[in-house]
Amino acid sequence: MALDPQRQTAYLEAMGIQPWLARDANPEAGVALPPVQPGLPGADAEAIAALDWQALQAAVANCTRCELHRSRTQTVFGVGDPQARWLVIGEAPGAEEDRQGEPFVGRAGQLLDAMLKAVGLARGQVYITNILKCRPPNNRDPHADEVACCTAYLQRQIELIDPALILAVGRIAAQCLLYSDQPIGKLRGQVHRYGEAGIPLVATYHPAYLLRSPAEKRKAWQDLQLAQRTAQGRG
Ligand code: URA
């Protein structure tokens, strides 16, 4: 859905950036990278890969695979339209998300909503989830074993949603999904391919980072426009 220019300008201003004109598509678009490595032992990963949406939600809600289940208030499975064309993947629930059971509900979530609105998407029109379904204590970075334990859940979510586009927000999400140790500044600005299905994936800065570094919002806007073109088949 394209927004009329006046409304788009309003949303860009809500994101705190001056509206500007898009450049041509990034010449590096179409880079193919390896899929996420399955993190769970075969039997578990296979069982999770066969679950339907409801069973998957129940499996996540009852998960005790890693230590994070001890400190969580609740799991945070995801929110939005399970048949959405856009799948937004962040890092992990924070304190507010852990309390409410919904991803991106704090200040970073408000900015994410504004970013999505800037490309004509309401929160309910996309699906939003995280690499981790449980909050790491004190909002520390996820540990590798925690990511490994959660990977099969996310892979099954991706399979069931079958999105036209994955938007990876932040370094952790981008690195995990692309199986890369490159910095986010290198991973953003191009179209990657996720998994065997080759789902187009665009990485961008995390809204929490953008709140601290508003000068980077212009690049995030470029990424969103690239994502929009890609989801529309014009990447
Ligand atoms: N940051 C994330 O990456 N995910 C959330 O759900 C909230 C903040």
Side-chain angles (χ1 to χ4, degrees):
M1 178 176 64
L3 278 184
D4 71 60
Q6 222 174 349
R7 283 182 69 200
Q8 195 172 47
T9 301
Y11 291 135
L12 288 175
E13 279 166 2
M15 278 175 65
I17 59 181
Q18 294 300 311
W20 69 330
L21 287 176
R23 295 217 186 113
D24 289 342
N26 189 301
E28 287 179 84
V31 175
L33 286 163
V36 151
Q37 300 295 298
L40 294 176
D44 276 357
E46 270 167 37
I48 291 168
L51 298 177
D52 66 17
W53 191 255
Q54 226 182 337
L56 185 64
Q57 269 183 305
V60 168
N62 295 309
C63 183
T64 56
R65 294 198 55 83
C66 80
E67 287 302 300
L68 293 183
H69 80 274
R70 297 188 192 283
S71 50
R72 75 184 179 216
T73 304
Q74 58 192 313
T75 57
V76 179
F77 185 75
V79 70
D81 178 1
Q83 285 166 355
R85 287 177 59 76
W86 284 52
L87 173 58
V88 180
I89 304 179
E91 177 179 326
E96 201 50 42
E97 289 76 19
D98 174 74
R99 247 191 305 276
Q100 295 190 33
E102 184 171 325
F104 284 103
V105 289
R107 274 187 73 220
Q110 284 168 16
L111 179 55
L112 177 65
D113 289 351
M115 291 163 73
L116 291 170
K117 268 190 182 172
V119 286
L121 292 167
R123 189 172 166 89
Q125 286 177 289
V126 303
Y127 197 82
I128 305 174
T129 189
N130 285 306
I131 298 287
L132 292 191
K133 310 303 187 218
C134 294
R135 180 191 181 208
N138 306 315
N139 299 335
R140 64 157 167 74
D141 282 357
H143 292 163
D145 63 311
E146 295 157 357
V147 174
C149 286
C150 246
T151 295
Y153 297 131
L154 180 62
Q155 279 180 333
R156 188 62 182 147
Q157 283 181 305
I158 294 172
E159 271 167 24
L160 289 170
I161 296 168
D162 189 22
L165 176 99
I166 295 173
L167 182 70
V169 294
R171 173 182 65 87
I172 301 278
Q175 289 181 340
C176 289
L177 289 163
L178 295 172
Y179 202 56
S180 167
D181 59 4
Q182 296 264 318
I184 185 68
K186 287 253 158 61
L187 294 172
R188 61 157 295 276
Q190 57 187 296
V191 181
H192 305 273
R193 299 273 158 190
Y194 173 81
E196 282 173 22
I199 300 169
L201 183 154
V202 172
T204 193
Y205 294 109
H206 196 285
Y209 170 74
L210 294 174
L211 288 171
R212 296 192 302 273
S213 310
E216 302 287 39
K217 285 182 181 174
R218 280 181 185 278
K219 290 189 205 152
W221 171 232
Q222 277 183 301
D223 297 334
L224 286 164
Q225 288 182 302
L226 175 60
Q228 187 182 39
R229 287 193 301 274
T230 305
Q232 291 170 347
R234 298 185 290 118

